[in-house]
Amino acid sequence: MADTGWEHKDAVEWCKKIVALMGLQLDVCRNENKTFLSMIRKRRKFPSATTRQCTSDLKRGPIQTWIRRNIKSTTIINCMGMRAQESRSRGKLNPLKRNKALTNSKRTVWDWLPIHHWNEMEVLDYLEKRNIPLHPIYRHLRRFSCRICIFMNDHDLSEVKQYDPEAYRIIADLEKEINFSMRPGKYLS
Ligand code: SF4
């Protein structure tokens, strides 16, 4: 798990619990130099769909660093849960490809999207049959993302305002502080 520093308060513990159901241990990595909020404060702007530093610097980067530091030689299957139905860009992803950035003469890394072709019902069915619980956030949000994600729509944000007013206030205050809104032309306040 890559912790952006802007995860739901119980996210790490929750993920540890789910991984433990499979008899596994969760490793948590972080960017040692920045969090979601400190990155925005320093750049004085939010990430966007085209400049998505939150994913590259706080998710992908720390996971790649973790793999480089901890796994020197073997074959690694890097499984991720993106599904084609989630968005047009996810639909275009290749479900199995060699990760060129992480593969070297001793280590081969494959990026695999094992549920890329699944629909939402298949996901829910899979979880139910194995008694794997959904995080409570799914009662009011579509994704278990950061507390507020740059891709949230009006409905998501009104839910956050109701269920996590602290997160809403932090982002609204940050927008005012840097004079830059998370969504073009739409300040949370
Ligand atoms: S969940 Fe949203 S805000 Fe968080 S890292 Fe991913 S894209 Fe960025």
Side-chain angles (χ1 to χ4, degrees):
M1 178 188 184
D3 175 3
T4 63
W6 183 231
E7 307 292 334
H8 292 276
K9 287 177 182 169
D10 68 341
V12 171
E13 284 316 306
W14 177 269
C15 294
K16 277 185 184 163
K17 196 174 90 181
I18 298 297
V19 167
L21 291 176
M22 288 128 207
L24 298 169
Q25 174 194 313
L26 182 75
D27 288 293
V28 182
C29 54
R30 297 176 178 87
N31 186 316
E32 285 151 21
N33 302 311
K34 55 180 129 176
T35 64
F36 182 79
L37 297 177
S38 75
M39 180 182 74
I40 292 165
R41 197 163 266 123
K42 188 164 182 202
R43 295 181 68 242
R44 302 195 70 75
K45 56 174 146 172
F46 282 82
S48 66
T50 48
T51 48
R52 211 166 140 181
Q53 289 92 355
C54 49
T55 311
S56 60
D57 294 14
L58 305 173
K59 291 273 183 196
R60 200 164 50 239
I63 288 173
Q64 290 185 345
T65 302
W66 188 94
I67 289 174
R68 285 195 181 98
R69 275 188 194 152
N70 292 287
I71 308 175
K72 304 287 182 204
S73 64
T74 190
T75 297
I76 300 165
I77 314 290
N78 183 29
C79 296
M80 294 169 280
M82 288 87 100
R83 292 185 300 111
Q85 280 190 349
E86 291 177 303
S87 68
R88 197 183 299 175
S89 59
R90 289 191 171 193
K92 290 183 194 157
L93 293 172
N94 183 346
L96 180 66
K97 71 173 192 307
R98 205 155 67 118
N99 185 318
K100 288 184 191 158
L102 290 173
T103 296
N104 59 25
S105 58
K106 293 187 178 158
R107 181 182 57 218
T108 304
V109 180
W110 292 95
D111 287 337
W112 184 34
L113 311 183
I115 63 167
H116 189 246
H117 56 292
W118 287 21
N119 63 36
E120 196 172 294
M121 279 314 296
E122 287 174 294
V123 175
L124 295 175
D125 191 48
Y126 180 94
L127 296 175
E128 193 181 332
K129 282 186 179 143
R130 287 158 185 81
N131 284 323
I132 300 172
L134 276 178
H135 188 273
I137 206 73
Y138 285 107
R139 286 187 205 133
H140 58 273
L141 287 176
R142 298 167 298 146
R143 291 193 184 166
F144 186 22
S145 60
C146 289
R147 287 172 75 184
I148 287 187
C149 169
I150 55 169
F151 293 119
M152 282 183 171
N153 60 25
D154 286 344
H155 176 262
D156 297 330
L157 288 166
S158 73
E159 295 291 296
V160 175
K161 194 175 185 180
Q162 184 177 344
Y163 292 102
D164 189 1
E166 182 191 53
Y168 196 90
R169 202 192 61 245
I170 288 171
I171 296 298
D173 288 350
L174 185 56
E175 286 183 330
K176 281 190 210 155
E177 181 188 322
I178 63 173
N179 197 24
F180 191 102
S181 60
M182 184 176 78
R183 296 173 307 159
K186 277 180 154 182
Y187 281 80
L188 292 195
S189 58

